[in-house]
Every structure is written in structure tokens, then in C-alpha cells.
């Protein structure tokens, strides 16, 4: 047990040192945007040979990326609850911070609905993947596929959107670890350490699969729009709205914790 916990702590220490830095939060959006453009150019000018990762049925895509928001939601829920309550001791503030997950769910739902509608209104049903022979009698993607046709429209990259948004959201929420200090003998330490490892690993998976999307799937314009929606979702919340008083707020920082300690002294 002790050896397993030591390995977990080493892994958590590495992930904290890698992902919790302010520089990561500052530059990760630029890294994602740049790598998307570079990967897209590589795909257009010098395509990589097909590999396991270029198959849409690879394990990471089927069991992680396809349900990326579910993974992100389910791991951030206990992480935000435990770390924020540990630092503030206020259930109301914890519930307010947990509402970030409801906001994220709304962003995910609205954006995917927009993408689906854009593909519907810009698409047509064809007889083959080579876009030969339009089937005008099929007016929806579902009907087209049901009848053995191939639907082609402007398919904004949902992967580029969601992986960008999820990775940036996790990194923003993990910033709270600057303030978290726990007793190694306490069960809370084990819980938070385990969540740090899970969230850190998930972030690396999201970034890696974002790069795979850039070099293997969609065209440049579809990935540009997808990434742009992800960046706007992140910046509109953590970079703008969450700075306001009428919002879920940002993770607890030293200034807010000092105010809490001063109020206790009084």
C-alpha cells in the first residue's frame, strides 16, 4: 500500500509541477492554436501515413474523446468540491463554484447543437463518398445515412472544440493546488492526490488527441472554427465572466483566503 501511494504521490508531484504553473495557463491556448494550424498544414502538404490513431475506432477516441465532457465533468466534480471546501469551509461557495460545471455543460450542448445545425443546413446527401449523385429526396443526415447515402456538409470539428475547452478548463481549476496543503495521513490527501493524477492524465490525453485530430481529421477551416469555439468558451468564462461578482467565480486564490482568515480573527 505504501509503495503504491508513493508512486501516486510522485506522479501527482510531476503533474502539479507541469500543469499548475501560471505559464501553462497563459500559453496553453496559444500552443493549441499553433499546433492546430501546424498539424493542419502538415495534413494538407505532407500527409502522415495511416496509423492506429488515424482510425476513428482507436481506444482513446472511442472510450475517451467521444465522451470527453463526461470524463471532465465526473472528475472535476469531486475535485472542485473537495479542494474548494478544504480551503474555504463554505458549502455555499462550493456550490457556487460547482456551477462552473453547469455552465460548461451548457457551452458543450449549445456549441454541439450549432455544429449539427451548420452541417445540416450546408449539407446534401450523396450516393458515394466521392460526392457523386445527389439524393435530393433525403433532407437530413439521419435519413441519408439510414438509406445508405453519404451526407456532406460543413462539419465543424467537435473534437477540436471539446478537447480545447476541456483541457483549458481542467488547467484553470487545477490552479487551486497552489493553495492546497493536506496532511499525508489524512484520507483527503489520498483523494485529492488521486484526482490530481486522474485529471492530469486526462489533460495529456486531451492535448494528444487534439494533435491527432489536427494531423489526421477534418480540413483546416473546420478545425479553425472548432478550436475558436473552444477558446471562446474558455475565455468567455475564465477570462471574462468568472472575474465578475455575479458568476461562479474563479478557484480560491491567496487574496480571497486571506479575507476569510481575517474574518475568522474578527
Amino acid at each position: 500500500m505504501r509503495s503504491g501511494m508513493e508512486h501516486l504521490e510522485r506522479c501527482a508531484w510531476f503533474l502539479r509541477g507541469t500543469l499548475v504553473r501560471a505559464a501553462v495557463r497563459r500559453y496553453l491556448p496559444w500552443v493549441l492554436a499553433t499546433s492546430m494550424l501546424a498539424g493542419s498544414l502538415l495534413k494538407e502538404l505532407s500527409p502522415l501515413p495511416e496509423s492506429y490513431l488515424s482510425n476513428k475506432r482507436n481506444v482513446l477516441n472511442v472510450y475517451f474523446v467521444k465522451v470527453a465532457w463526461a470524463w471532465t465533468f465526473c472528475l472535476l466534480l469531486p475535485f472542485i468540491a473537495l479542494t474548494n471546501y478544504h480551503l474555504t469551509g463554505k458549502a455555499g461557495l462550493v456550490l457556487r463554484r460547482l456551477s462552473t460545471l453547469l455552465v460548461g455543460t451548457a457551452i458543450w450542448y449549445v456549441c454541439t447543437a450549432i455544429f449539427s445545425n451548420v452541417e445540416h443546413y450546408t449539407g446534401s446527401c450523396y450516393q458515394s463518398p466521392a460526392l457523386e449523385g445527389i439524393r435530393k429526396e433525403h433532407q437530413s443526415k439521419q435519413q441519408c445515412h439510414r438509406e445508405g447515402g453519404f451526407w456532406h456538409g460543413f462539419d465543424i470539428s467537435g473534437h477540436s472544440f471539446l478537447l480545447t475547452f476541456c483541457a483549458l478548463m481542467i488547467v484553470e481549476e487545477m490552479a487551486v493546488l497552489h493553495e492546497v496543503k493536506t496532511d499525508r495521513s489524512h484520507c483527503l490527501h489520498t483523494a485529492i492526490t488521486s484526482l490530481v493524477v486522474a485529471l492530469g492524465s486526462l489533460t495529456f490525453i486531451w492535448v494528444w488527441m487534439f494533435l491527432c485530430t489536427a494531423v489526421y481529421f477534418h480540413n483546416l477551416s473546420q478545425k479553425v472554427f472548432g478550436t475558436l469555439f473552444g477558446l471562446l468558451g474558455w475565455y468567455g468564462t475564465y477570462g471574462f465572466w468568472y472575474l465578475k461578482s455575479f458568476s461562479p467565480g474563479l478557484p480560491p486564490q491567496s487574496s480571497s483566503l486571506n479575507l476569510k482568515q481575517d474574518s475568522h480573527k474578527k
Side-chain angles (χ1 to χ4, degrees), residues 88-116:
T88 67
K90 297 179 180 179
L93 188 145
V94 173
L95 290 174
R96 178 184 171 191
R97 292 260 34 263
L98 284 173
S99 67
T100 57
L101 296 174
L102 297 180
V103 174
T105 300
I107 290 172
W108 162 74
Y109 181 82
V110 170
C111 287
T112 51
I114 290 172
F115 299 167
S116 179

Side-chain angles (χ1 to χ4, degrees), residues 18-261:
T18 304
L19 297 175
V20 182
R21 297 178 182 179
V24 172
R25 295 194 299 281
R26 187 180 307 119
Y27 294 117
L28 182 58
W30 296 101
V31 170
L32 291 173
T34 303
S35 60
M36 179 274 296
L37 292 173
S40 298
L41 289 175
L42 179 65
K43 179 179 181 293
E44 298 298 325
L45 301 177
S46 181
L48 295 178
E50 290 189 5
S51 69
Y52 177 71
L53 291 171
S54 67
N55 185 335
K56 292 182 179 181
R57 300 198 59 79
N58 72 73
V59 171
L60 290 177
N61 191 54
V62 172
Y63 294 105
F64 286 90
V65 178
K66 291 287 187 183
V67 285
W69 180 243
W71 278 106
T72 303
F73 186 104
C74 290
L75 289 176
L76 278 180
L77 178 63
F79 178 80
I80 294 173
L82 290 174
T83 55
N84 285 246
Y85 188 76
H86 173 68
L87 290 173
T88 67
K90 297 179 180 179
L93 188 145
V94 173
L95 290 174
R96 178 184 171 191
R97 292 260 34 263
L98 284 173
S99 67
T100 57
L101 296 174
L102 297 180
V103 174
T105 300
I107 290 172
W108 162 74
Y109 181 82
V110 170
C111 287
T112 51
I114 290 172
F115 299 167
S116 179
N117 277 294
V118 168
E119 186 181 15
H120 171 75
Y121 288 112
T122 61
S124 298
C125 187
Y126 294 87
Q127 293 180 1
S128 72
L131 308 184
E132 298 171 344
I134 295 181
R135 295 182 172 184
K136 294 184 178 180
E137 69 274 15
H138 303 316
Q139 298 300 315
S140 72
K141 182 178 180 179
Q142 292 73 19
Q143 184 184 15
C144 177
H145 286 171
R146 205 164 39 239
E147 299 299 326
F150 297 86
W151 188 268
H152 180 74
F154 189 72
D155 182 18
I156 297 175
S157 176
H159 282 22
S160 296
F161 152 68
L162 194 54
L163 296 175
T164 297
F165 182 64
C166 288
L168 292 174
M169 185 174 182
I170 292 173
V171 168
E172 290 286 355
E173 291 298 335
M174 288 183 74
V176 77
L177 293 172
H178 280 303
E179 314 295 342
V180 174
K181 303 292 186 293
T182 55
D183 185 347
R184 290 186 65 187
S185 62
H186 200 283
C187 60
L188 180 64
H189 175 78
T190 303
I192 292 178
T193 299
S194 301
L195 287 168
V196 168
V197 172
L199 284 167
S201 302
L202 201 63
T203 304
F204 279 108
I205 291 175
W206 295 163
V207 172
W208 174 249
M209 293 307 291
F210 178 86
L211 297 176
C212 290
T213 299
V215 298
Y216 287 123
F217 304 106
H218 291 279
N219 62 39
L220 176 59
S221 59
Q222 293 168 347
K223 284 176 284 193
V224 166
F225 275 98
T227 304
L228 184 60
F229 270 91
L231 292 173
L232 288 174
W234 157 75
Y235 184 78
T237 50
Y238 288 90
F240 180 73
W241 182 31
Y242 292 176
L243 301 177
K244 311 296 182 182
S245 57
F246 53 92
S247 74
L250 294 170
Q253 302 296 319
S254 297
S255 57
S256 61
L257 295 176
N258 289 337
L259 288 173
K260 174 201 167 191
Q261 291 168 357

